[in-house]
Amino acid sequence: MDTPFPYSQYVTGKNFVGRKADVTLLGNLLSQGEHVVMYEPPKAGKTSLVQQSLLSMRMAGKPFTVGQFSALNIRTLEDYLLRLGSTVVRMVASTPDEYASVVQKYLGDTHFIFDPAAFADEDKLLSLDWELEEADVKAMLRFPFRLAKDLGKQLILIVDEFQCVLFQNNPDALLRPLDASMRAAREAGERQFCYILCGSAVNAMRSIFEGSLLFHRQVERVRLSPVEESEMASHVIRGFLSGGKVLDAHLMEGACRLFRGHLWYINHFSAICDSMTRGYIMEPVLIEALGALVSVHEPRFVEMMGGLTTHQVNMLKATVDGVTRFSSAEVIRKYGLNSSANVKRVKDALMKKEILCFDDADNPVIIDPLFEYWVKKYYFEVKE
């Protein structure tokens, strides 16, 4: 069913709001063969930006082929490489004979094979006929670059939830050769293939791309620009008007401010409002819709708080109270943080749990805006 407030899938076209400069930037980077990394909170709009950028590139007449897979359920190096290779092969081939031909040509000297029986029984395009060796890893990571060069066409591979590679027993066994494959391709002038590496765990992705020397100057980070409250509110109001409903712009701007521009929450909130009224949308409707949205996510928030130690809860309370520097004697004493050494441990733990991140000025930010609202109002019972 067509809805003016889609929140169960990515959006493009008329439903894509703002971020025109981001679309242009991402399209230009991909057109130049640059690898792109994007890390933003869950449901912040990464996929919508990518798909809108690809749509704009197609409308501009730029030829390319796109593949996509998720690393969410991958826990081993072998599975990652098999998923990578299978996705790339499917980007350029469509029959078993074509699959076998591509695998033999580019991976014939490795332990990766196309097994017709495994393909027929399990739809497994690639299999391993021996234990994985270092040469196999290098060959697989070089494979898409070689393939794109030989075909003379641009291939773009989207990898979702890339931070999950950190769950592998030895993440460096993938990350270091991946970095090396990018460097080798750049030195060879091979820009026909590029990655879009997306992650929803901000701190984990930052540790990969900012916390080490890997991928230095090999990837370009694209950040999601904030969307103006007035622009978001206007978009929502137009959606209501299409159904004959009216909403005061100032009320909607206040809702957008509460959600800190998080479009997924805004669309879900608006869809709830839309389902609750047939005419003029009054403030009580917005309050009731906010309560309904909170109730949907409250079990998750309760579980998040249940997994925190007392010191972690105390630091979160300090953040809610507006504290930006946790190591002063007064703050440590007031919030029971014990010592400056303990402050660092607690800070690292909250970052690892993706509850807090720190901006460029090292100020703490609660990543999830609805969780921030809930924890202030319902957990710490802060009076506005």
Side-chain angles (χ1 to χ4, degrees):
M1 183 178 68
D2 189 28
T3 171
F5 310 115
Y7 60 88
S8 61
Q9 66 277 326
Y10 67 80
V11 298
T12 58
K14 68 177 182 179
N15 290 317
F16 186 84
V17 185
R19 294 174 177 159
K20 294 182 175 62
D22 297 354
V23 170
T24 301
L25 172 61
L26 180 54
N28 288 341
L29 290 172
L30 296 176
S31 297
Q32 294 165 14
E34 298 287 350
H35 303 295
V36 172
V37 61
M38 298 175 62
Y39 38 101
E40 304 287 347
K43 301 292 186 178
K46 298 180 292 296
T47 301
S48 294
L49 175 60
V50 169
Q51 295 299 329
Q52 181 66 28
S53 300
L54 296 176
L55 176 61
S56 297
M57 290 171 65
R58 289 191 184 96
M59 293 177 66
K62 297 177 180 177
F64 58 88
T65 300
V66 178
Q68 184 172 9
F69 73 90
S70 173
L72 179 64
N73 60 346
I74 297 175
R75 293 300 180 102
T76 68
L77 175 61
E78 292 84 350
D79 286 343
Y80 183 93
L81 295 175
L82 289 168
R83 185 81 58 86
L84 168 67
S86 298
T87 304
V88 172
V89 172
R90 291 183 191 275
M91 290 168 67
V92 301
S94 58
T95 67
D97 287 344
E98 291 176 347
Y99 297 153
S101 176
V102 172
V103 172
Q104 178 59 37
K105 180 177 180 180
Y106 292 95
L107 299 169
D109 294 332
T110 72
H111 293 116
F112 294 103
I113 61 169
F114 173 74
D115 182 348
F119 178 73
D121 295 340
E122 306 173 55
D123 197 35
K124 288 178 62 175
L125 196 152
L126 282 178
S127 304
L128 279 166
D129 65 356
W130 199 257
E131 290 186 5
L132 193 68
E133 297 179 355
E134 184 178 342
D136 299 327
V137 178
K138 292 180 179 179
M140 179 58 79
L141 294 175
R142 286 288 294 140
F143 164 48
F145 294 99
R146 296 172 55 208
L147 177 64
K149 180 182 179 180
D150 288 352
L151 294 175
K153 61 190 296 186
Q154 184 176 21
L155 304 180
I156 300 172
L157 180 60
I158 304 166
V159 184
D160 294 317
E161 303 300 339
F162 183 76
Q163 77 278 346
C164 292
V165 302
L166 295 177
F167 294 138
Q168 297 177 17
N169 288 335
N170 179 16
D172 276 354
L174 169 64
L175 296 176
R176 289 189 180 280
L178 177 59
D179 172 69
S181 71
M182 291 180 177
R183 292 181 185 279
R186 174 159 294 192
E187 291 170 2
E190 299 171 356
R191 290 182 172 269
Q192 295 89 346
F193 171 78
C194 56
Y195 286 104
I196 304 176
L197 304 175
C198 298
S200 60
V202 176
N203 295 315
M205 290 288 284
R206 187 173 287 168
S207 72
I208 296 172
F209 295 100
E210 298 179 29
S212 70
L213 297 177
L214 295 177
F215 306 105
H216 181 58
R217 294 186 177 179
Q218 301 305 310
V219 298
E220 295 287 340
R221 182 183 178 188
V222 173
R223 301 171 183 259
L224 293 181
S225 299
V227 181
E228 293 290 335
E229 292 169 5
S230 58
E231 186 175 7
M232 286 187 292
S234 296
H235 173 75
V236 171
I237 289 169
R238 285 195 299 272
F240 283 125
L241 286 174
S242 68
K245 301 174 184 179
V246 180
L247 171 65
D248 182 85
H250 293 296
L251 288 176
M252 195 62 228
E253 287 179 13
C256 293
R257 195 174 307 119
L258 170 69
F259 295 120
R260 298 204 320 251
H262 196 295
L263 296 174
W264 182 66
Y265 279 140
I266 292 170
N267 272 329
H268 194 179
F269 170 75
S270 300
I272 295 173
C273 291
D274 193 34
S275 68
M276 293 172 60
T277 182
R278 296 183 177 220
Y280 196 86
I281 301 174
M282 307 292 287
E283 185 173 1
V285 173
L286 300 185
I287 294 173
E288 188 175 351
L290 177 59
L293 182 62
V294 168
S295 71
V296 170
H297 295 275
E298 189 167 36
R300 175 167 63 93
F301 297 157
V302 170
E303 183 178 5
M304 289 168 63
M305 293 304 298
L308 301 185
T309 66
T310 300
H311 288 138
Q312 291 164 11
V313 171
N314 291 346
M315 181 173 285
L316 188 59
K317 178 61 166 67
T319 302
V320 165
D321 289 345
V323 174
T324 58
R325 299 293 179 264
F326 301 105
S327 296
S328 71
E330 180 182 355
V331 170
I332 289 174
R333 182 174 58 255
K334 179 178 179 180
Y335 292 97
L337 297 175
N338 278 4
S339 66
S340 56
N342 188 54
V343 164
K344 185 180 186 310
R345 287 192 292 269
V346 174
K347 176 180 173 181
D348 290 345
L350 288 172
M351 292 174 65
K352 188 172 183 179
K353 293 178 179 180
E354 298 292 337
I355 291 175
L356 288 186
C357 66
F358 288 78
D359 62 19
D360 294 338
D362 203 34
N363 295 316
V365 177
I366 297 176
I367 293 174
D368 187 324
L370 188 62
F371 173 70
E372 180 179 18
Y373 170 80
W374 177 86
V375 84
K376 280 183 179 179
K377 182 170 182 177
Y378 296 102
Y379 192 88
F380 294 123
E381 299 180 341
V382 174
K383 304 300 182 183
E384 295 293 342

